Amino acid sequence: MTEPLAMTEPNETGLSAPRVTIRFCTQCQWLLRSAWLAQELLSTFGTDLGEVALVPGTGGIFEIRYGDDVIWDRVTDGGFPEAKVLKRRVRDRMDPERSLGHSDR
């Protein structure tokens, strides 16, 4: 299986916007958790993200990528991210100077 492209089509500003991929285990029934985190990212970053893709997998996988970089792995990072932690990791790659309001506290 080939990896998805790291960047998507140009966004409203004409710039290529990053792709976030959430790969989750269907056997573990982590779809709702994945969809909720996708919603949190889209609500926070809007059109600054080109795409948030949900990719079904098996074997206990729960991995989140920003472009080609793994920014969360259930095994490596120990469980699942809190929404504010995930938002910070995306922000730190996208626009480190951006304020996340209450999520920064």
Side-chain angles (χ1 to χ4, degrees), residues 85-104:
V85 172
L86 180 58
K87 289 177 187 182
R88 285 185 200 141
R89 290 188 182 189
V90 169
R91 184 268 320 265
D92 290 348
R93 283 165 178 77
M94 178 188 297
D95 182 6
E97 301 300 315
R98 181 183 188 142
S99 173
L100 292 176
H102 70 278
S103 292
D104 277 332

Side-chain angles (χ1 to χ4, degrees), residues 2-18:
T2 61
E3 284 296 313
L5 296 175
M7 302 298 272
T8 63
E9 295 297 317
N11 64 11
E12 292 175 350
T13 65
L15 301 172
S16 290

Side-chain angles (χ1 to χ4, degrees), residues 42-55:
L42 289 168
S43 294
T44 299
F45 298 105
T47 58
D48 291 337
L49 286 175
E51 178 178 5
V52 177
L54 300 178
V55 180

Side-chain angles (χ1 to χ4, degrees), residues 22-104:
I22 302 173
R23 178 162 287 185
F24 64 96
C25 178
T26 57
Q27 296 167 320
C28 302
Q29 299 185 14
W30 290 335
L31 173 60
L32 289 178
R33 181 186 309 265
S34 302
W36 172 70
L37 288 170
Q39 174 187 328
E40 287 290 317
L41 292 175
L42 289 168
S43 294
T44 299
F45 298 105
T47 58
D48 291 337
L49 286 175
E51 178 178 5
V52 177
L54 300 178
V55 180
T58 58
I61 190 165
F62 191 87
E63 177 186 88
I64 302 173
R65 290 180 172 264
Y66 179 92
D68 293 329
D69 299 329
V70 175
I71 61 171
W72 189 272
D73 182 271
R74 184 184 66 81
V75 174
T76 304
D77 293 299
F80 301 97
E82 291 182 45
K84 67 180 182 178
V85 172
L86 180 58
K87 289 177 187 182
R88 285 185 200 141
R89 290 188 182 189
V90 169
R91 184 268 320 265
D92 290 348
R93 283 165 178 77
M94 178 188 297
D95 182 6
E97 301 300 315
R98 181 183 188 142
S99 173
L100 292 176
H102 70 278
S103 292
D104 277 332

